[in-house]
């Protein structure tokens, strides 16, 4: 029923009759129409017959290169006889005659799944490890249980243990030293207060 003509500038490269409901066009060798050129994406476009419209529609399958139909870039376009589609450096001419009849078109083959490059598979199998259960503590034979004997407590010496009534010579010397320091602090405090009073009187 239909065919496409691949051209580069004014030179016709080849003709491809339409024999399937969907014709894939691109650089990859798995396409129905292979165009080996860097201006063509791996899967550049798909020409599909849409029964609801009764016509062939071309769809953009590329990410960057796009389709150029009737003077504008478009993600899809319904094609009529003689329409030209720009694919990179190449021109695709659609003709309504020259291919298989509609009732003889092969059904569309399922698309190949895209390679999973973002989540690589783990070559090692996943094994579920059961959680370890806590075992009750059991003391070895002959060992003493922590509760079998009361904990030994060291006696705390009191400040008054062993001291006789009255002050010892060491205690008397310490009291004398503390008294001297107290007297010195009081004398220093009196001197500071006296100086403060003198300053206030002079200002007054």
């Amino acid at each position: 029923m239909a065919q496409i003509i691949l051209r580069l500038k004014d030179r016709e490269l080849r003709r491809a009759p339409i024999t399937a409901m969907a014709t894939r066009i691109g650089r990859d060798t798995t396409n129905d129409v292979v165009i080996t050129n860097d201006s063509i994406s791996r899967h550049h476009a798909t020409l599909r017959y849409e029964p609801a419209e009764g016509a062939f529609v071309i769809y953009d399958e590329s990410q960057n290169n796009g389709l150029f139909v009737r003077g504008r870039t478009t993600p899809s376009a319904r094609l009529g006889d003689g329409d030209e589609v720009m694919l990179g450096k190449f021109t695709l001419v659609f003709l309504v005659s020259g291919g298989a009849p509609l009732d003889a078109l092969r059904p569309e083959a399922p698309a190949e799944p895209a390679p999973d490059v973002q989540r690589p598979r783990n070559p090692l199998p996943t094994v579920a490890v059961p959680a370890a259960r806590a075992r009750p503590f059991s003391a070895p034979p002959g060992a003493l249980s922590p509760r079998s004997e009361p904990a030994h407590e060291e006696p705390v010496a009191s400040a008054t243990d062993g001291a006789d009534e009255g002050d010892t010579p060491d205690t008397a010397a310490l009291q004398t030293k503390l008294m001297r320091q107290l007297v010195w602090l009081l004398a220093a405090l009196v001197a500071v207060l006296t100086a403060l009073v003198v300053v206030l009187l002079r200002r007054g």
Side-chain angles (χ1 to χ4, degrees):
M1 177 182 177
Q3 64 176 328
I4 53 178
I5 302 174
L6 182 63
R7 295 190 319 192
L8 179 60
K9 297 182 179 180
D10 296 332
R11 182 163 56 97
E12 181 178 319
L13 299 179
R14 68 174 180 272
R15 295 184 176 225
I18 304 300
T19 59
M21 296 290 289
T23 302
R24 294 185 175 89
I25 306 166
R27 191 177 68 248
D28 194 83
T29 56
T30 59
N31 292 285
D32 301 301
V33 178
V34 180
I35 307 174
T36 55
N37 190 273
D38 292 338
S39 65
I40 303 298
S41 298
R42 184 171 176 264
H43 295 293
H44 199 112
T46 299
L47 180 64
R48 181 180 292 110
Y49 179 76
E50 299 291 355
E53 298 189 18
F56 283 89
V57 180
I58 191 166
Y59 296 93
D60 180 21
E61 304 288 353
S62 65
Q63 296 180 352
N64 299 318
N65 295 321
L67 298 177
F68 197 73
V69 184
R70 303 185 192 99
R72 63 187 181 90
T73 304
T74 178
S76 64
R78 177 176 175 173
L79 298 182
D81 188 36
D83 280 343
E84 296 184 355
V85 181
M86 297 295 296
L87 304 178
K89 300 178 180 180
F90 299 84
T91 302
L92 201 68
V93 182
F94 176 79
L95 299 178
V96 295
S97 61
L102 288 177
D103 54 1
L105 294 179
R106 298 192 314 271
E108 183 176 359
E112 296 182 358
D116 187 3
V117 297
Q118 297 180 354
R119 301 176 62 184
R121 297 180 180 178
N122 184 7
L124 300 178
T126 302
V127 180
V129 180
R133 297 182 179 179
R135 297 182 178 180
F137 174 78
S138 57
L144 296 178
S145 174
R147 298 183 180 180
S148 59
E149 294 182 1
H152 179 69
E153 297 181 357
E154 295 290 340
V156 180
S158 174
T160 58
D161 289 347
D164 296 334
E165 295 182 359
D167 295 332
T168 61
D170 292 339
T171 304
L174 180 60
Q175 290 180 352
T176 303
K177 185 177 181 180
L178 290 176
M179 289 297 295
R180 290 178 180 176
Q181 291 179 355
L182 182 59
V183 171
W184 181 86
L185 289 175
L186 289 176
L189 181 60
V190 170
V192 171
L193 292 176
T194 303
L196 182 59
V197 170
V198 171
V199 172
L200 292 176
L201 292 175
R202 288 180 180 180
R203 289 185 179 182

